[in-house]
Amino acid sequence: MKALCAVAALAIGALLAGCGTEEVPGGYAQEQIQFGIWRPDAEGAMRFEATADVPNEEDQMYGWRVRVPESEEAVKWIETVTLPEAPESWEGVEDDPNVIVSDDGRTATTMGIEVPDGGYLGSTWSVAPGDPPGEYEMSVELSDGRQASFTFRLGEPAVVESGTAGT
């Protein structure tokens, strides 16, 4: 499984639309953690789409994001992803010191820390060949107390038909 683990504030955060806000002291709206995928729009810019269905297409990005106010205090987070079965490979993950893969190969726990810049914090993964289709679970906990759990589905891989084209 390729891990882009974009544990930094997503640079495209300013372009992303949010939802699910709650007013908190300090005059800013505290958004809930969202799960979804990133797709290119007509101009090629990556846009977040909240969904529980992840297309089983190589390099399809999926993960969570949350809007955070500007601060000099770091936000720590822990993310756990559990697959329906172990993937063929955890390539790109096994050497990351911030990720621990369970003994059975089904669960990856990632620990991150970021200083918010007024944008989005998040973590993304990328679909890789050999990722098992089926129901996945993800949980996220931020040091500011926000937490969320998501169940999402990685679809079946597209079947590429071989044959000859003819007229």
Side-chain angles (χ1 to χ4, degrees):
M1 175 175 275
K2 295 180 189 175
L4 295 179
C5 285
V7 296
L10 296 173
I12 59 175
L15 303 173
L16 304 174
C19 66
T21 61
E22 174 184 330
E23 213 45 53
V24 295
Y28 65 90
Q30 182 172 353
E31 295 183 4
Q32 299 302 311
I33 302 168
Q34 299 176 293
F35 177 85
I37 62 175
W38 280 262
R39 291 186 188 252
D41 65 13
E43 289 79 39
M46 296 303 285
R47 302 287 182 180
F48 178 81
E49 177 185 329
T51 182
D53 294 311
V54 177
N56 196 334
E57 300 168 1
E58 187 172 358
D59 297 327
Q60 171 64 62
M61 291 174 50
Y62 64 93
W64 61 271
R65 72 170 191 172
V66 64
R67 180 116 174 121
V68 292
E70 187 172 338
S71 172
E72 293 185 21
E73 296 293 320
V75 175
K76 296 178 184 177
W77 54 267
I78 297 175
E79 165 198 272
T80 302
V81 179
T82 302
L83 288 63
E85 61 188 59
E88 287 181 12
S89 168
W90 283 99
E91 182 180 342
V93 175
E94 65 268 354
D95 296 329
D96 187 331
N98 297 314
V99 181
I100 300 169
V101 176
S102 65
D103 289 341
D104 67 2
R106 290 186 53 223
T107 302
T109 302
T110 306
M111 294 160 277
I113 183 168
E114 287 296 322
V115 176
D117 65 357
Y120 283 88
L121 292 181
S123 175
T124 59
W125 293 83
S126 181
V127 175
D131 285 353
E135 193 170 276
Y136 286 53
E137 295 178 11
M138 178 181 281
S139 65
V140 180
E141 186 173 340
L142 305 178
S143 60
D144 69 5
R146 286 182 277 181
Q147 55 187 333
S149 294
F150 308 99
T151 299
F152 62 97
R153 180 163 184 75
L154 179 64
E156 293 291 329
V159 176
V160 178
E161 292 185 32
S162 61
T164 59
T167 53

